[in-house]
Amino acid sequence: MSNDQERLDEEEAEQVEAVRPPDLNQESDRSATRLELFFDLAFVLFVARCADVLAKDETWHGALVFCAVLTIGWWAWASTTLYANRFDTDDAIFRLLTLVAMVGVVAMAAGVDKIDGPEGRWFAIGYVIIRLALIAGYVRAWRHVPDARATARLYLIGHSLGAVVWLVSLAVAEPARYWLWGAGVLVDLMWPTAAARLKDAVPLHLEHLPERFGLFVILVLGESVAAVVTGLHDGEWKPAVVVTATAAFVVAAALWWIYFDLSGGAAKRRLTEEGDEVTKHGVHDFYVYIHLPLAISLAAVAVGLEHAVLHGADDHLTAGTRWVLGIATAGYLLSAAVMQAQLGGRVRGAVLWPGAGTPLAMLIALLDLSAVMTVVLFAALTAAGVVAGFLLHRSGEVRTAKV
């Protein structure tokens, strides 16, 4: 056979391989793909726009809106990730469906700060686009993977009902529209949760799962780093602003350390060690959903840090910024402690840290101090948490795996 013929045969084989039916991901070394990382870029923009909502309105109303829209976006990301975790074959159709879902994320990000106006319809349309892409994916899985049909059926029901409710909301005025959005997310969420309890449920890839959620944590933590940059720039590099920015970076770095070297590592150890038992007991559901308060808290921390750095030269930090920073830090530490206690199996260690940091974060928020002193105290608290985590490791109070 000539070299030209061999080349043509290889090209033909590649063309056939470009479109192939989905199959269950069973590779032991499964890791995040370049497409998944590209998909996450759209969520970087979405999280940033959600943070803008809270930054413009540091009141209880603004906080509720912020939590609501970020929850919707988080579930859109998580549900897409759960499909890719099981069925990503990286063929042309999967790539196109993922890119279509990205269009939906872009639409949601563009409309997130104007959901109370006409542009809010684009937020809803974006969510529906993501659902439609997922529905198409699960239809393929149902058709080509017989062992996955029971699981795929429940996901199809949930995502389809959710999409219908969101479509109906386009014809409804606010505030009823928002109630429909909430109902749509709940319907969307209930059926996949039920799917995990099937006797023949399709297992998740338990090495890929913590990697993807760890990457999402990094994505949200990036907002705190961006907050430091913005605060320095807009604060014109005043000495007090530089000190506050330095302390703010310590906070961001310590929160990263606490997750990846303590709570997240303890959770990953449980997932990877127990394997199929994790699926049988629904442990992965808890792992997935505990990342919602973690993500919301981290995004809010970024808002508080940015405002604190910007006003680093002020004698007093506004009550709104103090409470955003305090409640967000406390929420993050509490969520990390719950995850560590539940999945790490060491309740005492989780109570010692990060649990003990929760009331201390709220105490700092109660103090009417300058911006620089407030952030320095948060930096000291979280840095002490890193040391506490190291000591817990040495004493055996927490066992982790690298995330």
Side-chain angles (χ1 to χ4, degrees), residues 256-300:
W256 168 85
W257 204 312
I258 290 166
Y259 178 86
F260 285 96
D261 204 44
L262 197 63
S263 303
K268 181 179 179 179
R269 184 185 181 96
R270 174 79 180 277
L271 291 176
T272 55
E273 281 191 350
E274 295 193 12
D276 291 340
E277 294 300 314
V278 166
T279 301
K280 291 177 183 177
H281 296 107
V283 172
H284 54 67
D285 275 351
F286 180 86
Y287 176 84
V288 168
Y289 298 138
I290 194 62
H291 278 82
L292 174 57
L294 281 170
I296 291 175
S297 298
L298 282 177

Side-chain angles (χ1 to χ4, degrees), residues 88-332:
D88 177 7
T89 48
D90 198 28
D91 70 325
I93 296 178
F94 176 83
R95 290 185 176 189
L96 289 173
L97 290 176
T98 302
L99 294 175
V100 168
M102 283 184 68
V103 172
V105 178
V106 170
M108 291 177 67
V112 72
D113 60 341
K114 297 180 179 179
I115 59 174
D116 57 346
E119 295 89 348
R121 299 185 189 280
W122 287 106
F123 182 85
I125 291 172
Y127 187 84
V128 172
I129 290 173
I130 299 171
R131 298 300 94 185
L132 293 177
L134 268 179
I135 290 168
Y138 277 109
V139 167
R140 294 188 75 210
W142 184 89
R143 179 183 176 189
H144 295 288
V145 189
D147 291 343
R149 285 180 178 172
T151 299
R153 184 181 299 111
L154 292 182
Y155 275 90
L156 280 169
I157 293 172
H159 294 330
S160 299
L161 290 176
V164 169
V165 174
W166 277 73
L167 279 172
V168 170
S169 75
L170 294 173
V172 179
E174 63 273 356
R177 180 191 305 168
Y178 308 141
W179 288 105
L180 284 176
W181 288 359
V185 171
L186 286 176
V187 169
D188 204 341
L189 191 76
M190 286 168 51
W191 290 89
T193 302
R197 285 154 177 76
L198 292 171
K199 289 183 179 181
D200 55 349
V202 176
L204 289 165
H205 195 294
L206 296 178
E207 291 183 1
H208 174 260
L209 190 69
E211 181 186 7
R212 291 295 292 129
F213 278 82
L215 287 171
F216 190 83
V217 169
I218 291 178
L219 179 158
V220 184
L221 273 169
E223 290 301 307
S224 289
V225 179
V228 173
V229 174
T230 302
L232 275 172
H233 177 270
D234 295 348
E236 300 177 348
W237 293 86
K238 297 174 184 176
V241 170
V242 173
V243 174
T244 309
T246 302
F249 182 78
V250 170
V251 172
L255 295 181
W256 168 85
W257 204 312
I258 290 166
Y259 178 86
F260 285 96
D261 204 44
L262 197 63
S263 303
K268 181 179 179 179
R269 184 185 181 96
R270 174 79 180 277
L271 291 176
T272 55
E273 281 191 350
E274 295 193 12
D276 291 340
E277 294 300 314
V278 166
T279 301
K280 291 177 183 177
H281 296 107
V283 172
H284 54 67
D285 275 351
F286 180 86
Y287 176 84
V288 168
Y289 298 138
I290 194 62
H291 278 82
L292 174 57
L294 281 170
I296 291 175
S297 298
L298 282 177
V301 166
V303 173
L305 289 178
E306 180 177 335
H307 285 191
V309 173
L310 180 61
H311 299 286
D314 296 350
D315 292 333
H316 295 278
L317 195 59
T318 64
T321 298
R322 280 191 289 111
W323 283 111
V324 165
L325 195 51
I327 293 174
T329 304
Y332 174 82

